[in-house]
Amino acid sequence: MHLIVLAAILIGSLAEAAVLRDEQRVGGGNQSAFQWGPCDPSIVTNPSISCSFFEIPLDYHDLFAGYGRIAVAKANATAERFGTLFVNPGGPGQSGLAVLDAFGPMVLALTGGHYDVVSWDPRGVGPLTIPGDIQCFSSIEEYNTFWNGTIELTGIEMTGNFTDPEDIKALLSQAPIMQKKYEELGKRCLQQPSGQYLQYVGTAATVRDMVAMADALDGPNAPINYAGISYGTILGSWFINRRVVLDGVINPAFLATEETITFWPKLLVDADKVYDAFVTGCALSGPDGCAIATEGQSPADVDATIQGLIKRAHDAARKNSSIPVTSTDIRLELFGAMYFPDEWAPLANVSYPQAVAAVDAESGSNDLRARAMRRGLRKRQANQVPTYNGPAISCSDSVNSRGTTMTDVFKEIISSSRTSSHIFSSIWPDMFQYCPFWPVRAVERYQGPFNKTLANKVLIISNTYDPVTPVSGARALAELLGDDGVLVLQDGFGCINQIAFAYFVNGTIPADNNTLCQVDTDYEPFAGVDTEAILAALSF
Ligand SMILES: *[C@@H]1O[C@H](CO)[C@@H](O)[C@H](O)[C@H]1NC(C)=O
Ligand SMILES: *[C@@H]1O[C@H](CO)[C@@H](O)[C@H](O)[C@H]1NC(C)=O
Ligand SMILES: *[C@@H]1O[C@H](CO)[C@@H](O)[C@H](O)[C@H]1NC(C)=O
Ligand SMILES: *[C@@H]1O[C@H](CO)[C@@H](O)[C@H](O)[C@H]1NC(C)=O
Ligand SMILES: *[C@@H]1O[C@H](CO)[C@@H](O)[C@H](O)[C@H]1NC(C)=O
Ligand SMILES: *[C@@H]1O[C@H](CO)[C@@H](O)[C@H](O)[C@H]1NC(C)=O
Ligand SMILES: *[C@@H]1O[C@H](CO)[C@@H](O)[C@H](O)[C@H]1NC(C)=O
Ligand SMILES: *[C@@H]1O[C@H](CO)[C@@H](O)[C@H](O)[C@H]1NC(C)=O
Ligand SMILES: *[C@@H]1O[C@H](CO)[C@@H](O)[C@H](O)[C@H]1NC(C)=O
């Protein structure tokens, strides 16, 4: 879950790059700032990728704060070189090295081999970059003991839209405990070795790092090319100095000007639409293509089946709060798959039956069997010490706390289960919820303006069915950019955008604002059911 949200945020922050680039010039085509060689094989296995470190000041406005380094990876251009294409790992908190290892060859192919494709582990990420992974606990035992008996380990129990008042009572009664825990967590993060770096982690510094690398690789006046990638789907954020494409856009003003408790529900406003598309596709495909459906079921029937499973897990947890598969696990499993239509059929065919078997076992008190079934599901509890890279980066970027309490946070979750996403608003933990209690903010944050006049038009691409980067974010950005923004809507589920590709390879931009891309008609999320059939069957 965290991966996707983060990707979206970094996309939004490209507006920052556009602004920061104009004021910032570091280096001057200094190729010797990079020493390319083989990569650490435990992270990058593709031998066609080269790696280097790149030195960075911890604080661009105070060089006396000292220096760090970022771990950088590069897939060399294979055709006439147009320049460097920076690929953002997303998250925040994801490894760019791992992303380049997985997707570098694909991006190279998609761009005709004309760019050196470069990615990096940003500040606050990975074992090689300094400052790297943000740790708040020394061992998994310390972690488990600290969070023992709290919703941090079990998730929030609820059904429907917090339909049962008992669940509201139970959640609100956790507020004082969780507030104390989150404040104490901040102290522990500061006490760990990575604690000294918390203020140097964040998106503004990461944007400056990218600009510094671009200056060293391509010279200070060369265009910066930028692409965002997320999990098999290219988010397709193209950033070309005077020409920019933003895809999967979050309204950049949210994070810069609002507290994160109001930010998260806004990201989820389209999530239930995607869920509706999922159950619709499942019902249309029937039991042959989707194991959740039985013969002749409607989308509402499939939804009722899923809600029934969530309810049974919820009821089992009420009897025994230590059960291995909770209703949150099922929501997480669904949420993780929503982003990727390729995962819809495997979710229905494989993970869903596992969840059913686990919940059956729990309901019949066969705990060992439930534990065994849990193994296939997404892991809520960690087997190794979790890092706090995502919270460190997003909370560094966040506005100062305005006295928000944990009770406020929980009330917002309850209310957004009614106004935003009934099924996904209650997913816990969520990286944004740490921010009101996080102990530091970055030495530099970007808080606008986002409507700076640009030399050329920005292409903004938004998928109309995207669980966390709703089209409203793209519209808001288009409005902020005014005449500088051209909005393209894609009425499908995350396929590669032809317009962006043509723009990237040929430099062509659509003449019309608000272009609507055609659905990718031959793509079938479920056997025998294409996206057009799903869209036609949806009632909105
Ligand atoms: C180029 O980068 C290297 C390594 O960071 C540095 O030692 C050198 O001074 C730089 N040269 C120039 C001209 O900036
Ligand atoms: C990629 O290019 C760099 C020079 O920029 C070179 O040092 C490196 O060996 C090349 N990597 C591969 C795998 O060819
Ligand atoms: C969690 O608390 C329970 C009792 O409340 C205790 O039995 C168990 O050992 C604790 N687990 C950890 C990891 O501290
Ligand atoms: C799901 O199962 C159905 C039949 O049981 C099959 O037709 C379909 O290909 C399966 N899909 C996946 C991704 O396994
Ligand atoms: C509750 O679940 C825990 C962990 O799965 C199990 O060890 C315990 O025996 C269960 N308690 C009851 C009363 O069934
Ligand atoms: C909760 O959901 C139910 C059923 O979907 C609906 O009737 C009810 O109005 C919702 N409650 C609130 C407070 O939104
Ligand atoms: C940007 O927005 C601000 C505040 O909304 C406004 O005062 C300013 O005129 C805008 N600038 C441009 C270039 O549109
Ligand atoms: C594109 O559309 C947005 C609203 O969707 C509008 O604010 C903007 O001015 C338009 N841009 C152009 C170049 O017409
Ligand atoms: C780029 O332009 C050429 C010539 O107009 C055209 O044949 C080609 O299809 C275009 N490529 C893309 C990706 O649009």
Side-chain angles (χ1 to χ4, degrees):
M1 167 188 73
H2 289 167
L3 312 180
I4 297 109
V5 175
L6 287 343
I9 287 188
L10 281 166
I11 302 314
S13 72
L14 287 179
E16 291 174 39
V19 177
L20 292 175
R21 171 81 200 231
D22 282 359
E23 21 175 276
Q24 182 73 26
R25 287 287 186 273
V26 177
N30 182 0
Q31 289 284 346
S32 68
F34 291 88
Q35 305 289 324
W36 298 107
C39 299
D40 180 332
S42 70
I43 302 176
V44 177
T45 55
N46 185 331
S48 71
I49 293 174
S50 306
C51 283
S52 174
F53 288 111
F54 181 72
E55 194 181 56
I56 48 165
L58 290 174
D59 180 349
Y60 279 89
H61 300 290
D62 176 13
L63 299 185
F64 292 111
Y67 289 81
R69 65 176 197 196
I70 44 182
V72 188
K74 175 163 80 112
N76 291 346
T78 52
E80 184 203 346
R81 186 179 177 279
F82 291 177
T84 301
L85 169 63
F86 291 95
V87 175
N88 192 286
Q94 293 312 298
S95 164
L97 301 192
V99 166
L100 195 70
D101 196 29
F103 298 107
M106 186 178 89
V107 180
L108 211 50
L110 277 175
T111 51
H114 288 304
Y115 297 82
D116 285 335
V117 182
V118 167
S119 193
W120 72 104
D121 282 2
R123 297 160 180 248
V125 177
L128 300 175
T129 286
I130 301 171
D133 284 328
I134 304 300
Q135 308 281 0
C136 301
F137 296 98
S138 309
S139 67
I140 186 67
E141 289 75 28
E142 189 190 333
Y143 172 88
N144 282 330
T145 303
F146 183 77
W147 295 115
N148 194 20
T150 69
I151 58 167
E152 196 78 357
L153 299 184
T154 59
I156 292 172
E157 282 302 336
M158 56 82 81
T159 59
N161 48 18
F162 274 99
T163 313
D164 185 343
E166 278 299 307
D167 289 331
I168 295 181
K169 233 173 88 187
L171 179 60
L172 291 178
S173 76
Q174 284 261 327
I177 301 161
M178 290 307 283
Q179 174 151 346
K180 241 180 113 212
K181 286 282 178 193
Y182 272 41
E183 286 164 357
E184 173 67 20
L185 173 71
K187 293 194 190 121
R188 288 187 184 228
C189 303
L190 284 172
Q191 281 158 10
Q192 288 290 321
S194 54
Q196 63 182 305
Y197 295 122
L198 293 183
Q199 63 186 323
Y200 302 123
V201 160
T203 304
T206 289
V207 168
R208 290 195 189 280
D209 293 340
M210 178 171 78
V211 171
M213 283 191 283
D215 286 345
L217 287 168
D218 294 343
N221 295 313
I224 298 177
N225 315 295
Y226 176 94
I229 270 195
S230 182
Y231 303 96
T233 300
I234 292 201
L235 283 181
S237 300
W238 275 257
F239 183 91
I240 302 181
N241 198 12
R242 286 145 294 142
R243 297 173 302 172
V244 183
V245 179
L246 303 176
D247 181 357
V249 181
I250 285 199
N251 183 344
F254 284 174
L255 188 58
T257 58
E258 293 186 20
E259 275 202 287
T260 48
I261 64 160
T262 56
F263 174 71
W264 175 231
K266 286 179 184 164
L267 298 189
L268 288 174
V269 292
D270 287 346
D272 284 10
K273 269 205 298 186
V274 182
Y275 172 79
D276 284 349
F278 166 76
V279 296
T280 301
C282 179
L284 287 175
S285 188
D288 282 351
C290 176
I292 304 173
T294 56
E295 207 55 55
Q297 279 198 325
S298 69
D301 297 331
V302 174
D303 174 44
T305 304
I306 294 170
Q307 299 301 332
L309 180 68
I310 290 174
K311 175 86 166 58
R312 282 203 295 136
H314 162 272
D315 292 350
R318 194 171 275 181
K319 290 204 189 97
N320 181 352
S321 63
S322 315
I323 55 163
V325 175
T326 67
S327 68
T328 288
D329 291 317
I330 298 167
R331 274 190 283 270
L332 261 184
E333 193 71 19
L334 288 166
F335 192 61
M338 285 306 105
Y339 299 101
F340 314 114
D342 281 350
E343 285 191 23
W344 290 4
L347 168 73
N349 283 14
V350 183
S351 316
Y352 182 79
Q354 279 174 347
V356 170
V359 173
D360 281 350
E362 285 167 358
S363 308
S365 315
N366 188 346
D367 196 55
L368 272 182
R369 185 145 185 268
R371 275 179 193 282
M373 296 317 299
R374 187 199 157 93
R375 272 187 230 125
L377 299 180
R378 252 162 250 273
K379 290 283 176 280
R380 170 171 40 83
Q381 279 146 293
N383 296 319
Q384 54 193 32
V385 196
T387 57
Y388 284 80
N389 304 349
I393 296 169
S394 41
C395 298
S396 260
D397 290 348
S398 167
V399 297
N400 292 343
S401 179
R402 294 166 184 169
T404 296
T405 65
M406 196 59 87
T407 301
D408 299 331
V409 171
F410 288 169
K411 284 184 171 163
E412 184 65 38
I413 287 173
I414 294 162
S415 118
S416 65
S417 79
R418 288 157 182 174
T419 56
S420 179
S421 170
H422 76 281
I423 184 162
F424 301 125
S425 292
S426 62
I427 283 175
W428 189 280
D430 169 70
M431 79 170 94
F432 298 116
Q433 311 293 18
Y434 296 97
C435 298
F437 317 102
W438 194 253
V440 298
R441 295 295 184 261
V443 290
E444 180 183 18
R445 287 173 287 179
Y446 190 70
Q447 302 187 312
F450 294 99
N451 62 350
K452 194 172 170 183
T453 303
L454 304 172
N456 258 325
K457 285 192 194 310
V458 173
L459 185 55
I460 304 160
I461 300 182
S462 183
N463 198 317
T464 51
Y465 292 88
D466 186 323
V468 288
T469 55
V471 72
S472 56
R475 281 196 204 286
L477 183 62
E479 264 157 44
L480 282 169
L481 292 171
D483 287 347
D484 287 333
V486 172
L487 183 64
V488 177
L489 297 178
Q490 177 178 269
D491 213 356
F493 307 100
C495 39
I496 293 162
N497 196 288
Q498 292 301 311
I499 289 187
F501 183 45
Y503 172 69
F504 196 66
V505 174
N506 279 359
T508 46
I509 192 161
D512 299 332
N513 200 1
N514 273 311
T515 304
L516 182 66
C517 286
Q518 291 308 304
V519 176
D520 195 358
T521 44
D522 54 1
Y523 178 67
E524 295 189 350
F526 290 104
V529 179
D530 60 25
T531 51
E532 205 170 17
I534 293 174
L535 290 173
L538 285 172
S539 49
F540 43 82

